[in-house]
Amino acid sequence: MSCNHCTITELTVELTLKQQNADELVQIIDDFLRRHDIPVRIENSNIFTNENGATSIYDFSVDHIQIDDIFFRIQDDEWRPLLEFKEVVEAQWIDKVIQKRQIHCHYQPILNADKSVYAYELLARFTDEEGSIIYPNVIFDAARKRGRLYALDRLCRLTAVRHAIHIPKGIKAFINFIPTSIYSPEFCLRSTTALAEHLALATEKLVFEVVETDKVDDVNHLKTILHYYQDRGFNYALDDVGTGHSTINLLADLQPHVMKLDMKFVQGVARNKQLQVVAEQFLQKANEIGSIPLAEGIETEEDFDWLKQRGYQLFQGYLFGKPSPNLLSI
């Protein structure tokens, strides 16, 4: 059994109507699609069809139905107004990027306090067919709109694992993942761990890093994912710690091997009392739960020295090296 969420297949779009005569309108739409030989299925008064069918319903609704009362979703995503379906169609290009694997990784060093290399973070970079850069915020936004976040995140993880083999022995590789892009750890992560095994990568070499920790709503789901990695011998890190859901209880519950202090609390910390309070509280919590504290986004020696003197163990930022397609010599 495999996870269909993680592959590029034809979109299945679910639509629901919020009108008083919804059942009657569902029947009208059902008849309309069948007359045009478009696949359609009705379950519990909801309409299931493909991308062409949803587009046809959109066009049909402009003239025949109050479109503001029709909502759609792809897979198990949130319901959205049908008026937004044009965004799904316009994001079709993301399918080709994923299918053709138009992706590579850049390496950014993570240093110890003595400035020796502890790890490299593997950062996904994308290009179009002409070789022009597609910025991460653009590509992930398109993936979310089109319901391809599962497939995109899987591609990023597998590409990062392949790039990890170039990192020297004894130096770790940080690999990002988005928790909401993992539908089921058993199915979504099987290919990732299998590839690491196939490439003979030692489990202790890989550190899987939770991206957007502060946006995690389903903590139990995140714990399931982290336990999956941990049970197979991998380490994990929490990114963007210091905001949102990264509370004392959450950190104590998840027990991350590495905790990354968000750059918003790092840059300028040597001269800012408020940032210093957050940085010291973060360090105290990391020490309490046995996590390695990492400060990211360091750009000045002044901030680096302040954090090092307080007891931070790992450091990352432009001061030590920007992301590069080639391994950096520090």
Side-chain angles (χ1 to χ4, degrees), residues 137-207:
N137 62 314
V138 174
I139 202 161
F140 279 95
D141 182 59
R144 285 187 176 92
K145 289 177 178 176
R146 194 162 171 80
R148 300 303 195 193
L149 192 58
Y150 298 100
L152 179 62
D153 194 67
R154 176 180 181 272
L155 175 63
C156 291
R157 290 196 309 274
L158 294 178
T159 303
V161 170
R162 293 188 181 97
H163 278 70
I165 63 174
H166 303 298
I167 295 176
K169 185 177 180 180
I171 297 178
K172 297 182 182 296
F174 277 56
I175 297 176
N176 296 324
F177 73 94
I178 303 174
T180 53
S181 72
I182 296 174
Y183 183 72
S184 166
E186 180 181 356
F187 301 127
C188 298
L189 300 179
R190 180 185 298 167
S191 57
T192 306
T193 54
L195 178 60
E197 182 178 350
H198 174 72
L199 296 174
L201 285 168
T203 55
E204 63 268 18
K205 186 181 189 70
L206 303 183
V207 180

Side-chain angles (χ1 to χ4, degrees), residues 2 18 57 66 87 97 143 179 208 210 226 229 254 283 291 324:
S2 61
K18 304 295 185 181
I57 294 172
Q66 184 63 37
E87 296 179 353
V97 170
F208 288 94
V210 180
L226 297 181
Y229 280 132
L254 296 180
L283 180 61
S291 293
S324 168

Side-chain angles (χ1 to χ4, degrees), residues 8 25 34-35 38 49 57 59 63 111 123 131 141 158 176 180-181 193 202 222 257-258 294 330:
I8 299 296
L25 292 174
R34 292 182 187 280
R35 284 200 308 272
I38 298 174
T49 186
I57 294 172
D59 295 335
D63 295 324
L111 305 187
L123 301 166
D141 182 59
L158 294 178
N176 296 324
T180 53
S181 72
T193 54
L222 176 57
H257 300 95
V258 177
L294 186 160
I330 304 295

Side-chain angles (χ1 to χ4, degrees), residues 224-325:
T224 300
I225 296 169
L226 297 181
H227 288 159
Y228 180 93
Y229 280 132
Q230 188 174 42
D231 290 346
R232 284 152 184 81
F234 300 102
N235 291 332
Y236 55 87
L238 297 187
D239 190 15
D240 295 334
V241 176
T243 61
H245 287 276
S246 299
T247 61
I248 292 176
N249 290 335
L250 175 61
L251 293 172
D253 202 19
L254 296 180
Q255 296 284 314
H257 300 95
V258 177
M259 284 168 46
K260 276 191 171 186
L261 178 63
D262 192 299
M263 67 175 63
K264 71 177 69 174
F265 303 109
V266 170
Q267 295 175 353
V269 67
R271 294 176 179 269
N272 187 307
K273 296 294 184 182
Q274 291 179 323
L275 298 183
Q276 291 173 6
V277 170
V278 175
E280 290 175 341
Q281 289 177 341
F282 174 95
L283 180 61
Q284 180 181 357
K285 177 46 59 179
N287 291 333
E288 285 179 5
I289 65 176
S291 293
I292 301 174
L294 186 160
E296 63 177 343
I298 296 177
E299 297 185 352
T300 68
E301 287 284 353
E302 186 178 33
D303 289 338
F304 168 63
D305 289 339
W306 189 93
L307 291 160
K308 181 174 66 172
Q309 291 171 7
R310 294 306 183 281
Y312 276 79
Q313 299 176 42
L314 298 177
F315 308 87
Q316 183 178 11
Y318 284 1
L319 177 64
F320 314 112
K322 296 181 179 180
S324 168

